[in-house]
């Protein structure tokens, strides 16, 4: 149902499953996915809360709930979920990215950069972690470090977004030729 976008049917099915077995955390998780797909954030949070109350080590439920809470600008609650998630799975790159995004939302740029760099250590192919790190470094006017971060990422995985950001940063630093080359590659 989820893959086909039949969320009303998915909600009906999960309600029936919950009626048959209220202890099944997966049913609540799937219900949350249907609510999230329809944009009902409050019901999403409620269903995910039910899921983690039934299965305290349900990492994926904490991750999704943390993301939804961040979308709702509830950074304190999102932070609690990401801390629990990192206790369950310290090397979860999605959790590290979420931790970075939460730190960024809380205006803690240094902590955000540290979390994004941790995600790079876990998965050096994670383009998003490099992009977020370089973007925050550039906002702090640490231009050379931002460009070095993108150089490292491009050496590993030359994605167009990496070239595009590096080209933009080079242009801001007055390197028009380097910027043009990167934009062409992008």
């Amino acid at each position: 149902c989820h893959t086909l976008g039949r969320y009303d049917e998915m909600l009906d099915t999960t309600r029936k499953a919950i009626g048959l077995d209220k202890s099944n955390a997966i049913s609540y998780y799937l219900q949350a996915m249907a609510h999230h797909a329809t944009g009902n954030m409050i019901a999403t949070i409620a269903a995910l809360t039910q899921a983690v109350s039934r299965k305290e080590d349900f990492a994926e439920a904490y991750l999704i709930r943390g993301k939804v809470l961040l979308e709702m600008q509830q950074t304190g609650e999102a932070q609690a979920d990401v801390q629990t998630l990192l206790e369950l799975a310290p090397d979860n790159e999605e959790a590290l990215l979420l931790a970075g995004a939460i730190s960024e939302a809380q205006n803690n740029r240094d902590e955000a950069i540290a979390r994004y760099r941790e995600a790079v250590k876990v998965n050096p192919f994670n383009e998003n972690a490099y992009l977020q790190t370089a973007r925050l470094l550039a906002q702090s006017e640490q231009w050379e470090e931002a460009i070095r971060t993108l150089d490292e990422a491009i050496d590993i995985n030359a994605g167009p977004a990496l070239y595009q950001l590096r080209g933009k940063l080079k242009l801001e630093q007055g390197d028009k030729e380097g910027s043009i080359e990167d934009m062409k590659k992008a």
Side-chain angles (χ1 to χ4, degrees):
C1 290
H2 192 270
T3 302
L4 297 173
R6 294 166 33 194
Y7 305 117
D8 289 336
E9 187 177 336
M10 187 175 175
L11 285 169
D12 287 341
T13 303
T14 57
R15 284 185 195 112
K16 289 176 187 173
I18 290 167
L20 294 171
D21 181 5
K22 289 183 179 16
S23 67
N24 187 337
I26 298 295
S27 297
Y28 289 100
Y29 176 79
L30 293 172
Q31 185 180 61
M33 296 300 91
H35 284 305
H36 189 254
T38 61
N40 188 341
M41 299 306 177
I42 301 298
T44 301
I45 297 297
L48 289 168
T49 300
Q50 292 294 328
V52 298
S53 73
R54 282 154 178 78
K55 186 175 190 293
E56 292 179 9
D57 64 344
F58 200 161
E60 188 64 25
Y62 284 109
L63 179 65
I64 301 299
R65 190 171 72 174
K67 287 179 179 181
V68 172
L69 287 165
L70 180 59
E71 287 175 31
M72 297 171 65
Q73 300 177 351
Q74 301 296 316
T75 57
E77 292 86 348
Q79 183 71 38
D81 275 357
V82 84
Q83 286 174 341
T84 300
L85 181 56
L86 287 170
E87 289 171 12
L88 293 171
D91 290 337
N92 182 318
E93 69 185 277
E94 288 295 316
L96 291 167
L97 289 171
L98 178 58
I102 292 166
S103 294
E104 193 174 341
Q106 294 172 331
N107 295 317
N108 190 342
R109 186 176 291 153
D110 292 337
E111 177 66 23
I113 290 170
R115 291 301 189 164
Y116 292 140
R117 284 185 170 157
E118 286 179 55
V120 166
K121 287 179 186 173
V122 170
N123 179 4
F125 296 97
N126 190 318
E127 184 176 305
N128 187 35
Y130 283 107
L131 288 168
Q132 297 306 327
T133 302
R135 182 182 54 76
L136 288 176
L137 289 166
Q139 286 177 359
S140 299
E141 297 184 4
Q142 298 176 45
W143 306 106
E144 290 178 19
E145 182 66 22
I147 290 172
R148 270 196 306 273
T149 298
L150 293 168
D151 291 343
E152 179 185 329
I154 288 169
D155 286 345
I156 295 170
N157 183 21
L162 296 167
Y163 280 111
Q164 187 175 26
L165 181 56
R166 189 174 73 174
K168 179 183 175 189
L169 296 179
K170 284 181 177 181
L171 183 61
E172 289 179 19
Q173 289 300 291
D175 181 3
K176 290 180 184 178
E177 289 180 26
S179 176
I180 290 170
E181 277 302 308
D182 279 349
M183 291 304 182
K184 284 179 185 178
K185 289 178 183 176

